[in-house]
Amino acid sequence: MYVFVLNYDDSCPDLNFKAENAVAASRDVLFSLENENQKRIEQCALAAYSKKKKISGLKKSKYQIRLEVNGIFIQQDVLYLRVVFENKSKINYDIDQFRFFIRDKRKSKRTASQEIELEPLYATSSSSVIPYKSEIIKVYALEKFTIPENKYLTIQMIEKNGGRHLEVDINNNLTNLVFPISELSSDTF
């Protein structure tokens, strides 16, 4: 049970919080003035979706399915990853799991490896199907993070009742690939 003390203010901007049971059960929920509220995260995700700035080289294609990260943006303490899903096959791709991990680069035979899963704060679409012969673009909002040396970020997509699984790896040079959203506000569509 959480107790919130609220005071009314006529000049207060819109402030929305979205709390989901799965997220609340897995970790502590912190509310502070530094965190973006849900409406602001949605606005920034839509801005990241529509921007022309792109990066290349972060993609994986297999089984006529393509998974590509073609834009990484930041606004305050939230990273926005623009992900392109393309299905060139004649069979719909049903996404069972779509996850973000920070993993160790090298795994020795007798040492434990560490995987840290990152939970998205927001996704522009909740669709879990990539129709055949189509392309879908989604933006995922994640809490700001950096990738330590000897680790990398893995974006993993697993097919429901199938074997067409894809992973895209991003090395620890993530900071070189990020565009600030405020800097992009002058871009034209």
Side-chain angles (χ1 to χ4, degrees), residues 61-66 86-91 164:
S61 296
K62 207 172 183 181
Y63 315 112
Q64 297 182 326
I65 305 294
R66 181 172 59 100
E86 185 178 18
N87 183 355
K88 293 182 180 179
S89 72
K90 296 177 182 174
I91 302 171
R164 300 181 291 177

Side-chain angles (χ1 to χ4, degrees), residues 177-188:
L177 306 173
V178 176
F179 298 106
I181 288 184
S182 58
E183 187 179 285
L184 297 173
S185 59
S186 61
D187 283 359
T188 56

Side-chain angles (χ1 to χ4, degrees), residues 92-153:
N92 289 347
Y93 188 98
D94 298 317
I95 300 172
D96 185 29
Q97 297 177 16
F98 189 78
R99 301 165 29 179
F100 299 89
F101 291 101
I102 294 181
R103 291 182 169 163
D104 293 333
K105 275 190 181 177
R106 294 186 184 164
K107 295 180 183 176
S108 299
K109 289 183 180 179
R110 295 182 182 216
T111 59
S113 64
Q114 184 181 18
E115 288 186 349
I116 301 168
E117 186 169 359
L118 305 172
E119 290 287 331
L121 301 171
Y122 175 76
T124 54
S125 170
S126 62
S127 172
S128 62
V129 176
I130 306 166
Y132 64 94
K133 305 241 184 226
S134 69
E135 180 178 282
I136 295 175
I137 300 172
K138 292 184 182 184
V139 175
Y140 293 89
L142 300 165
E143 287 182 37
K144 177 187 75 171
F145 64 91
T146 56
I147 303 170
E149 194 173 334
N150 297 324
K151 294 189 184 259
Y152 59 93
L153 173 69

Side-chain angles (χ1 to χ4, degrees), residues 16-180:
N16 299 313
F17 290 109
K18 181 178 178 184
E20 296 180 11
N21 289 339
V23 174
S26 65
R27 63 180 181 188
D28 292 337
V29 178
L30 302 175
F31 298 106
S32 70
L33 296 176
E34 293 84 48
N35 290 344
E36 293 277 355
N37 68 42
Q38 193 68 25
K39 186 174 181 180
R40 180 76 176 140
I41 289 174
E42 290 173 15
Q43 291 170 344
C44 290
L46 290 175
Y49 180 87
S50 62
K51 295 303 174 185
K52 291 183 177 182
K53 295 256 185 188
K54 290 187 178 182
I55 56 175
S56 61
L58 301 176
K59 62 183 170 185
K60 182 74 173 214
S61 296
K62 207 172 183 181
Y63 315 112
Q64 297 182 326
I65 305 294
R66 181 172 59 100
L67 175 63
E68 177 182 10
V69 178
N70 76 352
I72 303 174
F73 307 94
I74 190 163
Q75 176 65 29
Q76 292 185 352
D77 288 340
V78 180
L79 279 172
Y80 299 89
L81 279 71
R82 185 173 54 210
V83 180
V84 178
F85 304 91
E86 185 178 18
N87 183 355
K88 293 182 180 179
S89 72
K90 296 177 182 174
I91 302 171
N92 289 347
Y93 188 98
D94 298 317
I95 300 172
D96 185 29
Q97 297 177 16
F98 189 78
R99 301 165 29 179
F100 299 89
F101 291 101
I102 294 181
R103 291 182 169 163
D104 293 333
K105 275 190 181 177
R106 294 186 184 164
K107 295 180 183 176
S108 299
K109 289 183 180 179
R110 295 182 182 216
T111 59
S113 64
Q114 184 181 18
E115 288 186 349
I116 301 168
E117 186 169 359
L118 305 172
E119 290 287 331
L121 301 171
Y122 175 76
T124 54
S125 170
S126 62
S127 172
S128 62
V129 176
I130 306 166
Y132 64 94
K133 305 241 184 226
S134 69
E135 180 178 282
I136 295 175
I137 300 172
K138 292 184 182 184
V139 175
Y140 293 89
L142 300 165
E143 287 182 37
K144 177 187 75 171
F145 64 91
T146 56
I147 303 170
E149 194 173 334
N150 297 324
K151 294 189 184 259
Y152 59 93
L153 173 69
T154 296
I155 300 171
Q156 181 183 65
M157 182 171 70
I158 297 176
E159 183 180 23
K160 187 175 187 177
N161 299 324
R164 300 181 291 177
H165 310 311
L166 294 175
E167 288 185 358
V168 172
D169 297 330
I170 301 173
N171 291 326
N172 60 354
N173 63 350
L174 178 70
T175 55
N176 300 335
L177 306 173
V178 176
F179 298 106

